[in-house]
Amino acid sequence: MSGTRTVTAPSAGLGGRGARERILAAATTLFHREGIHATGVERLIEQAHVSKRTFYQHFASKNDLVEEYLRRIHQAGGAPSEQAVDSADGSPHARMLAIFDSAPGDRFRGCPFHNAAVEAAGAMPGVEDIVHEHKLDFTARLIRTATEGGAKDPYRLGNQIAVLFEGARALATSLNDTSPLLHARSAAETLIDAATLDSAK
């Protein structure tokens, strides 16, 4: 019929209001599992089931996506192990030790912020700013928890726990073995007990 236009249905899974969330979900999975540099835009598009045009409508560049990926983890309180320090359950002592507990997985990939800082290598200042903010914030939360637990010097204890945590996760990632977290947990317990005992004197 004259004047009739054939309308082609959009491809399944492309665009839509959920496209941004699918892109971020793909980034969360792929950046953690395969690395930031190893994950190209084409791989992200494939995983998220969006078109390249849709991808760039939501994120002007891959760097913008990396920053939003990290920002979301930061706003959630970090990785699940980091969130344990803010749990409503357990004593301050128990919550500081809980950060060393790790969930089983196929491969231990460590801290997304540490990994991003290594991959940024000075070339992604926006990423490095978010990493710095998160690490300082997490240390501040440890200091606050140490204060709640009655440590004589909560600033010192919080920073010591942060160093143990960071080092243990880095070594566990390198070895693909979570035993460094167990050793760090034991060392942290010694520090926490000593700090609490000192404060009671």
Side-chain angles (χ1 to χ4, degrees):
M1 180 183 295
S2 178
T4 301
R5 184 175 60 183
T6 301
V7 178
T8 304
S11 299
L14 296 182
R17 287 179 293 180
R20 182 180 178 84
E21 293 304 318
R22 291 201 304 277
I23 294 167
L24 281 163
T28 299
T29 298
L30 295 175
F31 289 162
H32 182 70
R33 187 174 67 204
E34 300 175 12
I36 291 170
H37 289 320
T39 303
V41 170
E42 293 294 337
R43 181 83 170 94
L44 289 160
I45 286 170
E46 177 187 14
Q47 179 82 5
H49 302 293
V50 298
S51 66
K52 182 175 286 188
R53 179 173 179 272
T54 297
F55 178 92
Y56 284 112
Q57 283 177 334
H58 290 284
F59 299 98
S61 68
K62 180 182 167 185
N63 277 10
D64 286 345
L65 174 59
V66 175
E67 290 176 20
E68 182 61 18
Y69 150 74
L70 291 172
R71 198 173 289 115
R72 284 206 169 189
I73 300 174
H74 171 63
Q75 291 169 350
S81 56
E82 292 177 307
Q83 294 172 26
V85 77
D86 300 317
S87 172
D89 300 324
S91 66
H93 182 128
R95 282 156 36 212
M96 283 191 286
L97 292 179
I99 67 173
F100 295 96
D101 297 337
S102 62
D106 294 334
R107 178 172 178 83
F108 187 79
R109 296 293 297 154
C111 174
F113 295 93
H114 175 82
N115 296 344
V118 171
E119 293 209 52
M124 302 168 73
V127 167
E128 292 177 337
D129 287 346
I130 297 168
V131 171
H132 292 169
E133 180 183 2
H134 178 75
K135 294 300 181 182
L136 292 172
D137 176 73
F138 182 61
T139 301
R141 287 153 57 196
L142 287 169
I143 293 169
R144 183 171 63 245
T145 305
T147 301
E148 293 173 12
K152 181 177 70 173
D153 189 344
Y155 177 83
R156 181 181 181 187
L157 179 61
N159 276 277
Q160 288 173 330
I161 300 300
V163 170
L164 281 173
F165 181 69
E166 188 79 10
R169 294 190 80 184
L171 184 56
T173 302
S174 298
L175 299 176
N176 189 30
D177 179 356
T178 56
S179 62
L181 289 165
L182 297 176
H183 298 310
R185 191 185 196 280
S186 176
E189 187 163 23
T190 299
L191 286 171
I192 293 167
D193 285 344
T196 303
L197 285 172
D198 284 347
S199 69
K201 290 180 180 178

